[in-house]
Amino acid sequence: MPYSQEFGDHFYCREDGRAECGHVFLAGNGLPQRWRHRSVFRIGELGFGTGLNFCETWRQWKETRIEGANLHFVSFERFPMLAPDIGRALSHWPQIKAERLALCAEWPDLPQGRIDLDFKDGMRLTVMCGAALEEIGGFPEKFDAWYLDGFAPKRNPDMWSQELMRLAYEKTVEGGTFATYAAAGFVRRNLQAAGFTVERRPGFGSKREMLCGVKSTSGVA
Ligand SMILES: C[S@@+](CC[C@H](N)C(=O)[O-])C[C@H]1O[C@@H](n2cnc3c(N)ncnc32)[C@H](O)[C@@H]1O
C-alpha cells in the first residue's frame, strides 16, 4: 500500500483501490457505457501515482471497446514514480497483471517531461510530468471524462483549488464529466464555481459520499 510522506496520505483506499477505481472513476463517469459509442474517447486524470486507475481502465477498455476505437488516457503528475515502485504497488492485483507488465516495460527509466506510450488495443497513455496547474492549460485537447485523484483535499488543497478546477472545466468537452472520491464542501463549491453541475453519490466502502458532475452549458445535466 503506497503512502506519500510528503502529503501524509495513501495513494488509494486501504480496502481495495482497484474496486474503488471502478466505483468512483469509471462508474462515476458513466464508463464503460459512454465510450462504447465513440471512436475516440479522452480521459484526463489529476495524479498518475502508481497507474492503478490507468491499468484498471485499460482492463475494462479491452473488455468493452468496439473494434478500431481509441482511448487516450492523459494524466498530470508532479512526482512520477519509478517503474520498480509502480510494479511493486500494482502486483497486489492479479486482475491487472498484463497491464502492469506492459506499463512497466514501456515506462522510462527517468520519467520526466511528456511521456507518450502507445499500446495495443487502441490504448494510448500520455503522462505530463509537472504541477497540474502549469501543465493542463497548455495541453491541446479537451477531455470527455476527468478522474480527480489528487490525495485528500485537506492534505493537498492545491489539487482541488478553484483555479485548477476552472482549468479542468475549460479542458472538458460539452457534456463531459468528472468523478472523484472527494466530498469536501470546498471541493464541491470550487467545481460548481468552475461551471460543473455537481451531484453527490454514495462513496466507495466506508466513504459516505463522492462527487461527480457534468459540463452542460445549456444548464441541463
Ligand atoms: C492519490 S495519488 C494518485 C493515485 C493514482 N491515480 C493511482 O492510480 O495510483 C495523487 C497523486 O497526485 C500527485 N500530485 C500531488 N500534487 C500534485 C500536483 N500539484 N500536480 C500534479 N500531481 C500532483 C502525487 O504525486 C500523487 O502521485
Side-chain angles (χ1 to χ4, degrees):
M1 164 58 68
Y3 179 84
S4 164
Q5 299 288 351
E6 178 147 6
F7 295 100
D9 197 10
H10 290 91
F11 276 62
Y12 23 74
C13 82
R14 272 167 281 183
E15 290 143 298
D16 184 345
R18 190 183 69 89
E20 179 185 40
C21 170
H23 176 89
V24 173
F25 296 114
L26 283 128
N29 277 302
L31 303 174
Q33 293 82 356
R34 281 175 63 217
W35 69 42
R36 285 210 181 102
H37 310 288
R38 303 278 300 278
S39 57
V40 180
F41 196 89
R42 280 191 194 87
I43 294 174
E45 178 185 55
L46 296 188
F48 187 69
T50 65
L52 174 61
N53 291 340
F54 167 69
C55 287
E56 175 59 12
T57 300
W58 188 7
R59 187 190 70 78
Q60 295 204 25
W61 168 252
K62 285 187 212 169
E63 285 182 355
T64 57
R65 74 189 274 258
I66 38 168
E67 191 59 35
N70 292 287
L71 180 61
H72 190 185
F73 192 104
V74 180
S75 195
F76 298 87
E77 173 56 57
R78 187 170 188 178
F79 305 107
M81 292 172 66
L82 298 179
D85 299 327
I86 290 177
R88 199 172 321 117
L90 298 184
S91 60
H92 181 73
W93 290 281
Q95 301 91 335
I96 51 168
K97 182 177 177 190
E99 294 77 11
R100 163 174 60 87
L101 293 176
L103 172 64
C104 289
E106 298 295 324
W107 192 248
D109 292 342
L110 275 181
Q112 57 189 351
R114 176 177 171 144
I115 300 168
D116 266 308
L117 304 177
D118 262 313
F119 296 103
K120 288 184 293 192
D121 320 300
M123 173 56 98
R124 183 171 158 214
L125 170 67
T126 298
V127 178
M128 304 294 293
C129 301
L133 192 61
E134 283 156 31
E135 300 294 332
I136 288 188
F139 195 79
E141 279 138 355
K142 292 189 177 186
F143 298 96
D144 298 289
W146 277 103
Y147 295 3
L148 305 182
D149 194 9
F151 286 131
K154 66 171 184 279
R155 307 219 177 252
N156 191 19
D158 285 0
M159 277 291 249
W160 311 91
S161 68
Q162 194 165 335
E163 202 181 353
L164 189 54
M165 298 301 98
R166 194 180 45 73
L167 279 173
Y169 182 81
E170 273 174 24
K171 289 286 174 189
T172 305
V173 301
E174 172 72 18
T177 57
F178 78 84
T180 178
Y181 48 76
F186 85 90
V187 172
R188 180 168 40 83
R189 287 188 292 278
N190 286 350
L191 286 159
Q192 282 168 332
F196 287 107
T197 303
V198 180
E199 185 193 334
R200 291 180 173 118
R201 287 200 193 161
F204 177 77
S206 56
K207 289 183 188 150
R208 200 162 52 89
E209 283 187 341
M210 58 171 268
L211 300 176
C212 51
V214 63
K215 172 172 180 170
S216 172
T217 49
S218 65
V220 182

